[in-house]
């Protein structure tokens, strides 16, 4: 019975094109240039978001979030990136990015200056 299993595996590998000593060539791909950008703002969180968020994902990810999220919701999302996904953000950066996103993409109004 063992001989039969061995022959089936050898036959399958032969059909699949594998043979001992054959090494597959590495595959190379070229990704397209990133074109998505965050919405410009004078809020200090814009600069931090531009520098830090792109480390892990495209600006498209932010655009795909539900509209009109509150400051609390956006800050929770950024905090999740910090704690659950290991984004290298300080607590101050989390606050700044949360404010920028809530004002620019969400339901918050800018503070009067």
């Amino acid at each position: 019975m063992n001989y039969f299993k061995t022959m089936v595996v050898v036959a399958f590998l032969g059909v699949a094109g594998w043979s001992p000593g054959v090494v597959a060539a590495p595959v190379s791909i070229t990704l397209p240039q990133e074109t998505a950008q965050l919405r410009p703002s004078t809020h200090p969180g814009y600069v931090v978001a531009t520098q830090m968020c792109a480390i892990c994902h495209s600006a498209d990810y932010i655009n795909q979030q539900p509209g009109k999220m509150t400051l609390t919701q956006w800050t929770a999302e950024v905090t999740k990136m910090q704690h659950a996904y290991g984004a290298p953000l300080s607590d101050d950066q989390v606050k700044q990015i949360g404010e920028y996103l809530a004002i620019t993409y969400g339901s918050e109004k800018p503070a009067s200056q």
Side-chain angles (χ1 to χ4, degrees):
M1 192 60 102
N2 243 352
Y3 175 76
F4 178 73
K5 287 181 183 179
T6 302
M7 293 311 294
V8 169
V9 170
V10 170
F12 173 76
L13 292 174
V15 170
W18 183 85
S19 64
V22 175
V23 179
V27 175
S28 175
I29 61 169
T30 303
L31 297 175
Q33 187 68 26
E34 176 65 69
T35 58
Q37 296 180 353
L38 295 174
R39 294 179 195 160
S41 172
T42 57
H43 190 283
Y46 168 68
V47 174
V48 179
T50 300
Q51 294 169 345
M52 302 305 288
C53 297
I55 292 172
C56 298
H57 58 77
S58 167
D60 280 334
Y61 183 74
I62 294 166
N63 290 321
Q64 294 172 357
Q65 300 307 305
K68 302 301 177 196
M69 288 172 54
T70 65
L71 174 61
T72 301
Q73 290 170 316
W74 273 116
T75 303
E77 285 299 308
V78 180
T79 301
K80 178 175 69 175
M81 299 298 154
Q82 178 192 37
H83 293 289
Y85 298 113
L89 300 169
S90 69
D91 291 341
D92 187 52
Q93 289 173 318
V94 168
K95 181 181 179 217
Q96 289 180 352
I97 293 170
E99 288 174 359
Y100 159 72
L101 294 172
I103 292 167
T104 309
Y105 294 88
S107 62
E108 299 299 315
K109 303 289 184 235
S112 58
Q113 299 180 11

